[in-house]
Amino acid sequence: LAPAREKLYYGDTVVLACPNYGTNSDPDTLPADPLPVPSPLVEWQFNYTDAWTGYLPAGATVQDGVLTITNLGDIHDGEYTCQATNVYYTNYAFKVVQVEMAPSTV
């Protein structure tokens, strides 16, 4: 998860990685719940409910299973779910993103 602080501010870029299913642990991923090999297909969705649509808001892209959201704003507030699927299992993990105003400097 980047940036390496708990609060996210308007205009930030955030990077989210799904758990490293089937690989060594990486401290920058969400908590791991390893899937056996073969390596899974990793997809992301914003505010997942009943049907998996893969919807992401503007400014959010996925490359190699890593979600990057640029220029954070109100449209990015919500829960991001990653779905990791291989021939044996489907696992989910999520991260809540809350965008705040940056502290003012005097």
Side-chain angles (χ1 to χ4, degrees):
L1 171 65
R5 57 178 146 78
E6 288 192 28
K7 295 188 179 191
L8 300 171
Y9 302 122
Y10 288 95
D12 276 352
T13 294
V14 66
V15 178
L16 300 174
C18 215
N20 271 338
Y21 296 116
T23 64
N24 292 329
S25 296
D26 180 339
D28 293 333
T29 63
L30 297 172
D33 184 10
L35 286 176
V37 291
S39 294
L41 168 66
V42 176
E43 300 175 290
W44 287 87
Q45 181 166 313
F46 180 62
N47 289 336
Y48 172 64
T49 55
D50 295 334
W52 188 267
T53 63
Y55 169 74
L56 294 170
T61 57
V62 178
Q63 184 172 358
D64 298 327
V66 176
L67 173 66
T68 301
I69 310 167
T70 58
N71 197 23
L72 284 176
D74 291 333
I75 66 167
H76 301 113
D77 268 359
E79 183 175 279
Y80 292 83
T81 304
C82 72
Q83 171 182 270
T85 305
N86 68 16
V87 295
Y88 302 108
Y89 299 98
T90 298
N91 280 356
Y92 297 89
F94 67 93
K95 176 70 177 172
V96 174
V97 170
Q98 290 183 296
V99 185
E100 301 180 13
M101 294 292 292
S104 59
T105 55
V106 181

